C-alpha cells in the first residue's frame, strides 16, 4: 500500500473519528502544544535568508487583512450582521502554525510559508484590537494583551528555542528529516482533537441555533475558504503557487475562534469553526493527490 494512500486514510479517519467522538474535547488542551511541537521541528530545519522573503509576501499580508472585509461583506449579503461578523472571523485569521507542516508534506518551500507565518501573525494580531470594534460594533479594550500572549506562546517561543539550539548544537538541523513521520502523526492527533472540539461545539453549544442560520454561516465560510486558497495561488504565481495558497488558505482558526468566543458569542465563532472543516478537507485532498504522484 502506497504511503500517500495511508496518509490520506489517516487524515480522513482523524476527521471522521473526531466528528464521532465529541467527548475527546476534554483533551483539546493538547492542541496548542502539539502545534508548538510541530512548529519547533519546522523551525529547526528552516534556514532563513534574504531569498526567503519575496515581494509576494507583501501581497499575502494585504490579502490576509482584506479577507476579513471580504468575509464580512459576503456574510452581510447572506443574512445580516451576525453572519457578517462570522464571515469576518473566518477570513481574518493569519497563517496557521500547521501551514508550514502541510507545505513540507507537499514538498513545497517551507521557508516561504514560515516567512508568511512570521509576518501575518504579528501584523494581524496588532491590527485585531482596531479591526474587531469595526466588525463587532463595540470596543474590545482587553483584546491586545490576550492576543499578544497567544502569539508569544505559539509563535515566538518555539522560534526562540529553535534558534538557540541551532547555534549551540548545529546537528539538530538533521532532526526534522528523521521526525517527519512523527510530525505527521502529531498533526493527525491534533486534527482529531480539533474535529472533536468542533463536533462538541456544534452538537451541544449550538444545538438551539436555527438550521438555516447554521447553513448560511457554513456556506459563507466555505466561500471565504475557497477564495483564500485560490487568491493565494494567484499571488504565488508559477513559482510559489502551492506555498502561497497554503499561507493564505490555511488559517489560525484556534486564534480566531478564541477571539470570537471571548468578545462576541458562540454563533459568531461558527465562522472560523466551519472554516476548520473546509480547509482540513481541502488539505486532505491535496495530500492525497500529492501522494498519488509519488
Amino acid at each position: 500500500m502506497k504511503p500517500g494512500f495511508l496518509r490520506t486514510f489517516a487524515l480522513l479517519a482523524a476527521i471522521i473519528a473526531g466528528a464521532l467522538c465529541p467527548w475527546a474535547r476534554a483533551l483539546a488542551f493538547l492542541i496548542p502544544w502539539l502545534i508548538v511541537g510541530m512548529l519547533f521541528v519546522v523551525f529547526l530545519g528552516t534556514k532563513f535568508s534574504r531569498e526567503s522573503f519575496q515581494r509576494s509576501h507583501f501581497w499575502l499580508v494585504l490579502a490576509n487583512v482584506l479577507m476579513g472585509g471580504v468575509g464580512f461583506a459576503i456574510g452581510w449579503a447572506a443574512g445580516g450582521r451576525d453572519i457578517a461578523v462570522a464571515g469576518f472571523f473566518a477570513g481574518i485569521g493569519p497563517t496557521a502554525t500547521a501551514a508550514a507542516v502541510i507545505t513540507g508534506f507537499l514538498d513545497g518551500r517551507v521557508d516561504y510559508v514560515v516567512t508568511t507565518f512570521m509576518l501575518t501573525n504579528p501584523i494581524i494580531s496588532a491590527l485585531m484590537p482596531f479591526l474587531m470594534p469595526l466588525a463587532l460594533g463595540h470596543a474590545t479594550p482587553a483584546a491586545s494583551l490576550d492576543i499578544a500572549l497567544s502569539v508569544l506562546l505559539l509563535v515566538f517561543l518555539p522560534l526562540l528555542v529553535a534558534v538557540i539550539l541551532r547555534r549551540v548544537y548545529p546537528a539538530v538541523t538533521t532532526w526534522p528529516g528523521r521526525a517527519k513521520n512523527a510530525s505527521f502523526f502529531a498533526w493527525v492527533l491534533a486534527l482529531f482533537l480539533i474535529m472533536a472540539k468542533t463536533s462538541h461545539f456544534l452538537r451541544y453549544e449550538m444545538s438551539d441555533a436555527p438550521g438555516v442560520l447554521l447553513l448560511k454561516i457554513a456556506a459563507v465560510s466555505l466561500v471565504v475558504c475557497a477564495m483564500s486558497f485560490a487568491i493565494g495561488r494567484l499571488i504565488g504565481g508559477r513559482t510559489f503557487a502551492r506555498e502561497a495558497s497554503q499561507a493564505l488558505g490555511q488559517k489560525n482558526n484556534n486564534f480566531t475562534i478564541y477571539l470570537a468566543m471571548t468578545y462576541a458569542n458562540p454563533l459568531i465563532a461558527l465562522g472560523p469553526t466551519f472554516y476548520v472543516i473546509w480547509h482540513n478537507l481541502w488539505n486532505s485532498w491535496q495530500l492525497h493527490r500529492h501522494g498519488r504522484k509519488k
Side-chain angles (χ1 to χ4, degrees), residues 4 15 20 35 41 49 58 63 66 102 140 156 162 279 282-283 293:
I15 292 172
L20 296 176
I35 292 176
V41 172
S49 64
F58 168 80
L66 292 177
I102 297 297
T140 56
F156 292 107
H279 86 203
W282 175 242
N283 278 338
K293 292 177 183 177

Side-chain angles (χ1 to χ4, degrees), residues 229-243:
F229 277 105
I231 292 171
R233 192 168 188 84
L234 287 173
I235 290 173
R238 291 184 178 181
T239 308
F240 298 109
R242 179 183 299 169
E243 293 85 352

Side-chain angles (χ1 to χ4, degrees), residues 7 16 29 56 93 101 186 189 208 224 258 260 278:
R7 287 193 168 192
I16 295 169
F29 67 91
S56 54
V101 179
L189 177 57
D208 296 329
V224 171
Y258 166 75
W278 306 137

Side-chain angles (χ1 to χ4, degrees), residues 241-257:
R242 179 183 299 169
E243 293 85 352
S245 180
Q246 275 297 316
L248 187 60
Q250 191 170 350
K251 296 185 178 296
N252 188 350
N253 298 110
N254 285 329
F255 175 60
T256 46
I257 289 170

